[in-house]
Amino acid sequence: QSVFSLLGQAHAKGEKKQFWNYVQKGIWMNLALTIPGAIAMVLLTSVAAWMLHLHPPVSGTFQVALMIYALAVPFESVNHILLRAFYSMKNTLIPALTTALSAACGITSGYLLVHSYGIYALAIAYIVTQMMQTLFLSAGLVMDSQKQKRITNLELRSTNLS
């Protein structure tokens, strides 16, 4: 969340290169923290089950589900940075649309996978939701940036014609 202020300032000042620099640095920093965290989460699932006093077969189900959920952690973390980028531009429409679309993908995948994977379909659907959110937000941010470039170019042309 600390990147929000920097993104907002860069956007308000029209510093596009700095804005993108903050987005990239935020994503890389999040990945540097969350990938090892997700790995630790996978490695410590048995400890988590023990701390919760879970016993077989519940402990085994819990451990597998937690391992699956761990795969979503880096995506979810990147999504927070991408969302802050949109919010700093005062754009809430694209995040709302991508959230709805991602949720639809997750619900659909969960529905399609539940007969094959049972309870694990929920964890898999969560990963699908987070991955799709990352994809949609990234695409939306790139498209919004290209739209802003076109608007700036049109404004420059109209100024030159005057």
Side-chain angles (χ1 to χ4, degrees):
Q1 290 189 8
S2 63
V3 76
F4 179 69
S5 176
L6 297 171
L7 288 168
Q9 289 174 21
H11 180 72
K13 292 176 183 176
E15 297 172 346
K16 293 176 175 102
K17 188 173 182 178
Q18 189 62 40
F19 177 86
W20 283 102
N21 189 30
Y22 289 140
V23 171
Q24 288 176 332
K25 281 184 179 180
I27 288 172
W28 285 113
M29 187 176 294
N30 270 0
L31 290 175
L33 295 170
T34 59
I35 290 173
I39 292 168
M41 192 171 161
V42 167
L43 296 175
L44 296 172
T45 56
S46 60
V47 174
W50 174 79
M51 290 175 69
L52 293 171
H53 304 287
L54 299 178
H55 303 286
V58 174
S59 61
T61 303
F62 170 81
Q63 289 176 21
V64 172
L66 193 57
M67 286 180 198
I68 297 169
Y69 275 113
L71 297 174
V73 171
F75 292 101
E76 186 175 10
S77 181
V78 167
N79 291 341
H80 286 286
I81 297 294
L82 296 173
L83 286 167
R84 299 304 180 276
F86 279 105
Y87 297 153
S88 71
M89 297 184 296
K90 298 179 180 164
N91 182 337
T92 56
L93 178 62
I94 291 175
L97 293 174
T98 62
T99 298
L101 192 54
S102 300
C105 291
I107 291 167
T108 302
S109 65
Y111 177 78
L112 295 173
L113 296 172
V114 72
H115 298 295
S116 301
Y117 294 97
I119 190 94
Y120 303 124
L122 183 61
I124 295 167
Y126 185 73
I127 294 170
V128 169
T129 301
Q130 293 304 317
M131 290 174 73
M132 296 309 292
Q133 178 86 357
T134 303
L135 177 70
F136 295 146
L137 285 171
S138 298
L141 198 56
V142 169
M143 288 174 17
D144 190 68
S145 173
Q146 291 172 345
K147 176 182 154 191
Q148 293 302 322
K149 282 181 187 177
R150 285 193 301 273
I151 291 170
T152 302
N153 288 339
L154 287 173
E155 288 173 350
L156 289 173
R157 286 182 196 153
S158 67
T159 305
N160 290 338
L161 293 174
S162 302

